Amino acid sequence: METVNLNEKLDRISGHWDPHVIADYNENDVMVVKFLGEYPFHKHDTTDDFFYVLEGEMEMDIEGAPSRIIKAGELFVVPKGVVHRPRARSEVKVLLIEPKGEPNSGDSDREPAPKPRI
């Protein structure tokens, strides 16, 4: 058991779309990541996708629905099987929770990030 300082962890991340595990929660990875630009459209067939914006503002494009804006202090859950694309016009800092082993790239052709622990 230990306290995790999210700002200190985020300061150690220099790239974008590169999630880093900061804690374990049951069978889930708790991660922080920085977004800038857009990620490819994708879906996760077996799990929801959890996003909590710590700083900045992101957009979530949802196939067949209007885009959503998620601001600092807000969270957004994409249900499993829903095609989506996160994007950010300026850098945004996000907390993610995903089942261990779930590739962040979902079913897209993008290579999954390795999810190192910091």
Side-chain angles (χ1 to χ4, degrees), residues 35-92:
F35 293 168
L36 182 62
E38 63 183 39
Y39 202 77
F41 275 103
H42 67 284
K43 65 181 169 65
H44 301 270
D45 287 324
T46 61
T47 186
D48 298 337
D49 217 355
F50 176 98
F51 301 83
Y52 177 73
V53 176
L54 299 165
E55 184 178 311
E57 180 177 291
M58 66 176 277
E59 293 179 67
M60 184 65 72
D61 297 327
I62 305 290
E63 187 177 71
S67 296
R68 310 299 204 297
I69 295 177
I70 303 106
K71 299 176 182 180
E74 296 178 337
L75 69 86
F76 191 79
V77 176
V78 179
K80 65 183 171 187
V82 173
V83 177
H84 62 286
R85 172 181 67 185
R87 60 188 168 103
R89 295 172 197 245
S90 57
E91 187 174 82
V92 61

Side-chain angles (χ1 to χ4, degrees), residues 21 23-24 27-31 96-101 115:
V21 177
D24 302 299
E27 297 300 315
N28 298 290
D29 289 325
V30 178
M31 299 169 286
L96 305 172
I97 302 174
E98 292 179 346
K100 291 184 180 301
K115 299 183 187 177

